[in-house]
Amino acid sequence: MLDKFGIAKRIAKEIKDGYYVNLGIGIPTLVVNYIPDGMQVVLQSENGLLGMGPFPYEGEEDADYINAGKQTITTLPGSAIFDSAMSFGMIRARKIDLTILGAMEVSENGDIANWKIPGKMVKGMGGAMDLVASAENIIVAMQHVNKHGESKLLKECSLPLTGVRCVKKIVTEFGVFDVLPEGGFKVVELHEGVSIDTVKQYTSGKLIY
């Protein structure tokens, strides 16, 4: 099975040359470190940055340069910094080729819940709702099961939804899954050492293999 770094590395393979990509909070922020050398990719952060680079080395951080998750980042030559209104204008105008998000739950129809657990204090959903409403290509990076060992790939989400029928692909510690238009998680690949029986055991939604 893969750890969070392995999941990020696998998702980086889905990025194509010339893409404009938005990275969500959590595992998606790690993808920046696995983009192949020589590939021209422009990373967008919803707080107002185009041209995000890898994470800085210890001691080289600049607190004025952060991503949407408030982690310090670097910028690349040609990068641009602007206000959040312009950033969300890019998102709502569908200028972003790929959005990579974390999630608490995904349903077999592609619904996503990634911003709130009832009864727990949250600062707000940030740009998640805009991203899922506007993006045409959404990949979710997530753990297959929660801390209680329960599936996060469900028939229906139990948590408040961020968006409906929007997720196209999911990468977990077990494998890669396409969300089919007619519903269901189609197994695209299993990571080394993972059996289909394990995936069946921990997938509550419709599994196609």
Side-chain angles (χ1 to χ4, degrees):
M1 294 187 294
L2 299 183
D3 60 12
K4 62 182 181 180
F5 300 100
I7 293 173
K9 188 175 183 179
R10 173 59 186 84
I11 287 181
K13 295 181 180 180
E14 301 292 325
I15 299 175
K16 294 181 171 56
D17 197 52
Y19 264 17
Y20 285 81
V21 182
N22 180 282
L23 301 179
I25 297 170
I27 295 175
T29 62
L30 302 174
V31 173
V32 65
N33 286 336
Y34 298 104
I35 296 174
D37 292 338
M39 182 176 285
Q40 297 298 313
V41 175
V42 180
L43 298 179
Q44 192 250 17
S45 185
E46 68 200 52
N47 57 314
L49 175 63
L50 203 60
M52 188 164 48
F55 285 113
Y57 291 108
E58 186 175 354
E60 298 180 1
E61 303 94 338
D62 185 336
D64 288 331
Y65 293 93
I66 60 172
N67 60 22
K70 298 180 177 58
Q71 298 167 300
T72 53
I73 48 88
T74 61
T75 56
L76 299 176
S79 64
I81 298 171
F82 36 83
D83 63 27
S84 59
M86 181 173 289
S87 178
F88 279 94
M90 295 174 183
I91 292 168
R92 293 168 184 168
R94 300 190 172 185
K95 302 297 185 182
I96 307 301
D97 298 298
L98 174 63
T99 297
I100 303 171
L101 297 173
M104 301 168 189
E105 295 176 346
V106 176
S107 80
E108 63 186 40
N109 291 322
D111 302 341
I112 181 173
N114 77 340
W115 77 280
K116 184 177 182 179
I117 298 176
K120 292 191 175 183
M121 188 179 73
V122 293
K123 296 178 181 178
M125 68 171 56
M129 187 169 284
D130 284 274
L131 287 165
V132 300
S134 304
E136 296 183 357
N137 189 7
I138 297 175
I139 297 178
V140 165
M142 65 186 293
Q143 298 294 329
H144 208 100
V145 298
N146 62 25
K147 62 182 180 181
H148 303 295
E150 301 164 336
S151 176
K152 294 169 66 174
L153 277 65
L154 309 171
K155 180 176 178 59
E156 295 181 354
C157 294
S158 63
L159 296 173
L161 294 183
T162 312
V164 298
R165 293 184 175 273
C166 55
V167 177
K168 299 293 192 296
K169 189 183 294 286
I170 305 168
V171 181
T172 76
E173 70 270 32
F174 293 157
V176 181
F177 308 87
D178 281 342
V179 181
L180 300 182
E182 64 272 21
F185 302 108
K186 180 176 175 56
V187 179
V188 176
E189 65 183 68
L190 298 179
H191 303 315
E192 185 176 354
V194 177
S195 69
I196 190 64
D197 289 336
T198 298
V199 177
K200 288 166 62 178
Q201 179 182 353
Y202 291 107
T203 305
S204 295
K206 182 181 179 182
L207 189 68
I208 301 167
Y209 54 94

